[in-house]
Amino acid sequence: MKPALLVIDVQNDFCPGGALAVKDGDKIVPLINKLIPLFETIVYSRDWHPQNHISFANPPQFTDQSWPVHCVANTRGADFHPDLLFTLNSVLIEKGTNPNEDAYSAFQGTSLSQILHKLGVDTVFTTGLATDYCVKATALDALADGFQVYLLQDACKGVDNPSGTVVNAINEMSHAGVKIINAGEVETVL
Ligand code: VGL
Ligand code: ZN
């Protein structure tokens, strides 16, 4: 197996105090940090929107995927959580950069697929924010692209508005073929 760890959108705006805060979004950071030494290839994505991004609304509805202004490129809210660890050979992916189109998946409109295939990666372990949007879209795209996909359930947190969307997202991923495990089980799978 040639694995990669995917760390999706662990950014200030998705953590408590941020513009689009996910409950307990910051709690996954220590779990992800513990996994970093286990992987040679680690991909960090960040939601990286222009100021006039199509998903921004006032007031935002959330349930219709209109959102408060969040993760505007080069702002503090778009920065990675300050405690998140990086390695020198990290891969950085920016998404949602087109003002006219939202992009939840780290594969959408990016070169992530080519990068992973070129590195010979065949299996991805997915973590991050938010379970019911960018994590789900990334995991499903990874499956469609031929990767074996694990979701590290406890190393993800979701928007869950309305309540139940996180459970539904996990069920949808599971039915599609994503293997659902916890971060502590990764070493037994590698
Ligand atoms: C996300 C909503 C809007 C995410 C990004 O990272 O899951 N969710 N933009
Ligand atoms: Zn966004």
Side-chain angles (χ1 to χ4, degrees), residues 23 38 66 73 115 127-128 144 155 176 178 184 189:
K23 186 171 178 282
L38 303 179
S66 66
I115 291 169
T127 66
V178 175
V189 172

PDB file of all heavy atoms in Angstrom, residues 23 38 66 73 115 127-128 144 155 176 178 184 189:
ATOM      1  N   LYS A  23     -18.677  22.937  15.230  1.00  0.00           N
ATOM      2  CA  LYS A  23     -18.555  22.593  16.640  1.00  0.00           C
ATOM      3  C   LYS A  23     -17.385  21.631  16.852  1.00  0.00           C
ATOM      4  O   LYS A  23     -17.281  20.609  16.161  1.00  0.00           O
ATOM      5  CB  LYS A  23     -19.869  21.958  17.124  1.00  0.00           C
ATOM      6  CG  LYS A  23     -19.902  21.684  18.609  1.00  0.00           C
ATOM      7  CD  LYS A  23     -21.309  21.264  19.047  1.00  0.00           C
ATOM      8  CE  LYS A  23     -21.329  20.945  20.520  1.00  0.00           C
ATOM      9  NZ  LYS A  23     -20.761  19.617  20.827  1.00  0.00           N
ATOM     10  N   LEU A  38       3.315   9.151  10.732  1.00  0.00           N
ATOM     11  CA  LEU A  38       3.061   7.835  10.132  1.00  0.00           C
ATOM     12  C   LEU A  38       3.053   7.887   8.606  1.00  0.00           C
ATOM     13  O   LEU A  38       3.025   6.843   7.952  1.00  0.00           O
ATOM     14  CB  LEU A  38       1.710   7.284  10.610  1.00  0.00           C
ATOM     15  CG  LEU A  38       1.496   7.125  12.116  1.00  0.00           C
ATOM     16  CD1 LEU A  38       0.091   6.592  12.394  1.00  0.00           C
ATOM     17  CD2 LEU A  38       2.538   6.169  12.700  1.00  0.00           C
ATOM     18  N   SER A  66     -25.580  28.306   1.108  1.00  0.00           N
ATOM     19  CA  SER A  66     -25.091  29.685   1.095  1.00  0.00           C
ATOM     20  C   SER A  66     -24.474  29.911   2.463  1.00  0.00           C
ATOM     21  O   SER A  66     -24.996  29.453   3.488  1.00  0.00           O
ATOM     22  CB  SER A  66     -26.222  30.678   0.814  1.00  0.00           C
ATOM     23  OG  SER A  66     -27.166  30.707   1.863  1.00  0.00           O
ATOM     24  N   ALA A  73      -9.027  34.378   0.776  1.00  0.00           N
ATOM     25  CA  ALA A  73      -7.583  34.185   0.557  1.00  0.00           C
ATOM     26  C   ALA A  73      -6.763  35.265   1.257  1.00  0.00           C
ATOM     27  O   ALA A  73      -7.104  36.451   1.203  1.00  0.00           O
ATOM     28  CB  ALA A  73      -7.299  34.189  -0.942  1.00  0.00           C
ATOM     29  N   ILE A 115      -1.128  14.710  -8.923  1.00  0.00           N
ATOM     30  CA  ILE A 115      -0.046  14.675  -7.928  1.00  0.00           C
ATOM     31  C   ILE A 115      -0.014  13.312  -7.236  1.00  0.00           C
ATOM     32  O   ILE A 115       1.033  12.672  -7.137  1.00  0.00           O
ATOM     33  CB  ILE A 115      -0.218  15.812  -6.893  1.00  0.00           C
ATOM     34  CG1 ILE A 115       0.026  17.180  -7.544  1.00  0.00           C
ATOM     35  CG2 ILE A 115       0.727  15.609  -5.704  1.00  0.00           C
ATOM     36  CD1 ILE A 115      -0.377  18.377  -6.672  1.00  0.00           C
ATOM     37  N   THR A 127      -9.164  13.202   6.652  1.00  0.00           N
ATOM     38  CA  THR A 127      -9.454  13.873   7.930  1.00  0.00           C
ATOM     39  C   THR A 127      -9.867  15.316   7.631  1.00  0.00           C
ATOM     40  O   THR A 127      -9.665  15.801   6.523  1.00  0.00           O
ATOM     41  CB  THR A 127      -8.201  13.938   8.825  1.00  0.00           C
ATOM     42  OG1 THR A 127      -7.229  14.786   8.189  1.00  0.00           O
ATOM     43  CG2 THR A 127      -7.585  12.563   9.051  1.00  0.00           C
ATOM     44  N   GLY A 128     -10.420  16.012   8.623  1.00  0.00           N
ATOM     45  CA  GLY A 128     -10.583  17.462   8.492  1.00  0.00           C
ATOM     46  C   GLY A 128     -12.007  17.967   8.642  1.00  0.00           C
ATOM     47  O   GLY A 128     -12.865  17.353   9.265  1.00  0.00           O
ATOM     48  N   ALA A 144     -13.982   7.702  -6.730  1.00  0.00           N
ATOM     49  CA  ALA A 144     -14.273   7.749  -8.167  1.00  0.00           C
ATOM     50  C   ALA A 144     -12.988   7.767  -8.982  1.00  0.00           C
ATOM     51  O   ALA A 144     -12.955   7.325 -10.131  1.00  0.00           O
ATOM     52  CB  ALA A 144     -15.132   8.967  -8.489  1.00  0.00           C
ATOM     53  N   ALA A 155     -11.472  12.095  13.432  1.00  0.00           N
ATOM     54  CA  ALA A 155     -10.570  13.182  13.032  1.00  0.00           C
ATOM     55  C   ALA A 155     -11.234  14.088  11.998  1.00  0.00           C
ATOM     56  O   ALA A 155     -10.572  14.754  11.207  1.00  0.00           O
ATOM     57  CB  ALA A 155      -9.253  12.614  12.499  1.00  0.00           C
ATOM     58  N   ALA A 176     -20.903   4.013  -0.382  1.00  0.00           N
ATOM     59  CA  ALA A 176     -20.161   4.188  -1.639  1.00  0.00           C
ATOM     60  C   ALA A 176     -18.876   3.362  -1.652  1.00  0.00           C
ATOM     61  O   ALA A 176     -18.281   3.143  -2.706  1.00  0.00           O
ATOM     62  CB  ALA A 176     -19.849   5.670  -1.850  1.00  0.00           C
ATOM     63  N   VAL A 178     -16.332   3.836   1.069  1.00  0.00           N
ATOM     64  CA  VAL A 178     -15.327   4.408   1.967  1.00  0.00           C
ATOM     65  C   VAL A 178     -15.292   3.573   3.247  1.00  0.00           C
ATOM     66  O   VAL A 178     -16.342   3.224   3.798  1.00  0.00           O
ATOM     67  CB  VAL A 178     -15.672   5.878   2.300  1.00  0.00           C
ATOM     68  CG1 VAL A 178     -14.707   6.449   3.341  1.00  0.00           C
ATOM     69  CG2 VAL A 178     -15.668   6.736   1.033  1.00  0.00           C
ATOM     70  N   GLY A 184      -7.116   6.206  15.766  1.00  0.00           N
ATOM     71  CA  GLY A 184      -6.285   5.276  16.516  1.00  0.00           C
ATOM     72  C   GLY A 184      -6.107   3.920  15.828  1.00  0.00           C
ATOM     73  O   GLY A 184      -5.259   3.127  16.248  1.00  0.00           O
ATOM     74  N   VAL A 189      -3.893  -0.616  10.003  1.00  0.00           N
ATOM     75  CA  VAL A 189      -4.280  -0.745   8.598  1.00  0.00           C
ATOM     76  C   VAL A 189      -3.076  -0.539   7.673  1.00  0.00           C
ATOM     77  O   VAL A 189      -2.978  -1.163   6.620  1.00  0.00           O
ATOM     78  CB  VAL A 189      -5.388   0.291   8.264  1.00  0.00           C
ATOM     79  CG1 VAL A 189      -5.681   0.315   6.793  1.00  0.00           C
ATOM     80  CG2 VAL A 189      -6.652   0.007   9.059  1.00  0.00           C
TER      81      VAL A 189
END
